[in-house]
């Protein structure tokens, strides 16, 4: 018996990184997964490998959401789960952030999450689950990522409100708040790329110093938390942000 047998779950930003691992784990646990992304080649290849449906879905686009949900209904007849995982990160101090960049981050991270909750929430079977991907920076500040942090705080707010509004239908809504996780977002030099090894070593040194558990998290570890929040194991859990950060937010360490 898989933990998601019979359930249809759409994962956004599933072509790589955390979304990819969520799609893989959910398929292993019996879900019929819908891989959604704007990276068509990678998304289609993954979907083929794990027996999923691929849909091109720019999460900031209302029409894309309507088309994606229609495609899921046509293929599977129902939808039971959503993981709002797609996101982008941009680095600038607030005083140097161009408005276009701020709006781009809000469009993907915050509006994308809102449209996902709204479109899938309307179509979803009672008893469904929604997992939103916030961040540690949705609960605390971090210099140089102001637009990102603001959008992730907004996702925590959306999570709480959606949990209140959808509880009557037995739909549970929670958020994952990862710290530093080893994906292309946090380590953008591709493996084997120029300077890649050096960057990877510098990143490793940094997180050994910053994170109490002494390392970055893996996408698989985040996927296991998303699975917990998407299955019956968390049947009495809704409206909460769940930090997964190796102890980073636990407090200051002065010794
Ligand atoms: P990633 O860059 O590897 O993956 C992000 C995925 O989202 C990509 O496949 C990308 O194509 C997709 N995407 C981007 N814009 C999109 C759009 N408009 N529509 C649809 N898909 C889009 O990054 P990741 O680390 O796997 O990030 C996954 C989520 O986790 C993001 O929301 C990110 O903010 C969050 N997060 C990551 C970390 C980390 O350290 N990696 C920490 C905290 C939170």
């Amino acid at each position: 018996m898989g933990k998601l047998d019979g359930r249809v779950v759409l994962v956004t930003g599933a072509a790589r990184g955390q979304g990819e691992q969520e799609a893989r784990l959910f398929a292993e646990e019996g879900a019929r997964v819908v891989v959604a992304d704007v990276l068509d080649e990678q998304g289609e290849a993954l979907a083929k490998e794990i027996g999923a449906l691929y849909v091109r879905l720019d999460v900031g686009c209302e029409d894309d959401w309507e088309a994606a949900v229609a495609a899921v209904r046509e293929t599977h007849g129902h939808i039971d789960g959503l993981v709002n995982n797609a996101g982008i990160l941009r680095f600038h101090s607030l005083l140097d952030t161009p408005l276009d960049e701020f709006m781009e981050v809000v469009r993907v991270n915050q509006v994308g999450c809102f449209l996902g909750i709204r479109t899938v929430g309307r179509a979803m079977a009672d008893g469904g689950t929604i997992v939103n991907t916030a961040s540690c920076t949705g609960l605390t500040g971090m210099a140089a990522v102001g637009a990102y942090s603001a959008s992730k705080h907004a996702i925590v707010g959306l999570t709480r409100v959606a949990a209140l509004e959808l509880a009557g239908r037995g739909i549970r809504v929670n958020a994952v708040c990862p710290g530093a996780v080893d994906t292309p977002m946090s380590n953008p030099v591709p493996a084997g790329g120029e300077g890649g090894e050096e960057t990877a070593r510098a990143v490793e040194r940094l997180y050994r110093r910053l994170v109490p558990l002494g390392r970055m998290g893996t996408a698989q570890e985040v996927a296991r938390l998303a699975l917990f929040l998407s299955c019956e194991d968390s049947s009495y859990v809704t409206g909460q942000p769940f930090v997964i950060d190796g102890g980073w937010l636990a407090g200051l360490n002065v010794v």
Side-chain angles (χ1 to χ4, degrees):
M1 283 282 285
K3 288 179 185 284
L4 295 174
D5 280 347
R7 295 179 83 81
V8 177
V9 184
L10 187 149
V11 183
T12 67
R16 71 178 195 199
Q18 293 173 38
E20 174 187 347
Q21 295 309 323
E22 286 159 355
R24 287 183 184 279
L25 181 60
F26 284 26
E28 277 167 32
E29 289 292 341
R32 280 169 287 168
V33 173
V34 183
V35 171
D37 210 299
V38 289
L39 297 176
D40 294 335
E41 209 173 304
Q42 275 171 268
E44 273 167 5
L46 174 69
K48 195 169 169 202
E49 186 190 330
I50 65 174
L53 170 71
Y54 176 73
V55 292
R56 181 184 174 81
L57 167 60
D58 173 352
V59 293
C61 173
E62 207 171 3
D63 290 347
D64 280 11
W65 273 106
E66 295 296 341
V69 168
V72 176
R73 280 183 141 165
E74 195 181 311
T75 306
H76 296 302
H78 58 104
I79 181 160
D80 312 283
L82 168 66
V83 181
N84 275 318
N85 163 78
I88 58 172
L89 172 65
R90 298 289 182 266
F91 292 97
H92 266 121
S93 72
L94 280 176
L95 303 196
D96 290 329
T97 301
L99 179 58
D100 282 357
E101 182 178 287
F102 194 94
M103 296 307 288
E104 182 195 13
V105 170
V106 167
R107 190 185 83 88
V108 176
N109 296 2
Q110 181 176 338
V111 175
C113 183
F114 157 66
L115 287 175
I117 293 169
R118 196 186 68 180
T119 320
V120 177
R122 284 174 179 164
M124 184 175 261
D126 289 1
T129 57
I130 298 176
V131 176
N132 298 321
T133 306
S135 163
C136 274
T137 66
L139 298 170
T140 190
M142 186 183 283
V145 296
Y148 182 81
S149 177
S151 71
K152 294 299 188 179
H153 274 76
I155 289 175
V156 173
L158 283 169
T159 300
R160 292 183 171 129
V161 173
L164 293 171
E165 293 184 357
L166 296 174
R169 290 169 49 204
I171 295 173
R172 297 183 296 106
V173 188
N174 291 289
V176 295
C177 299
V181 181
D182 192 5
T183 69
M185 176 180 283
S186 52
N187 192 1
V189 181
E194 202 179 318
E197 268 181 38
E198 201 181 308
T199 310
R201 272 199 300 275
V203 167
E204 199 197 314
R205 273 198 304 277
L206 174 70
Y207 289 112
R208 205 179 310 136
R209 188 163 50 80
L210 287 179
V211 177
L213 286 183
R215 63 174 177 85
M216 297 181 92
T218 66
Q220 288 87 347
E221 288 171 317
V222 178
R224 290 202 293 272
L225 178 56
L227 171 64
F228 170 72
L229 295 172
S230 299
C231 77
E232 274 301 292
D233 289 347
S234 59
S235 54
Y236 198 52
V237 177
T238 195
Q240 292 304 317
F242 288 85
V243 174
I244 173 165
D245 71 344
W248 206 359
L249 284 196
L252 301 176
N253 191 351
V254 292
V255 290

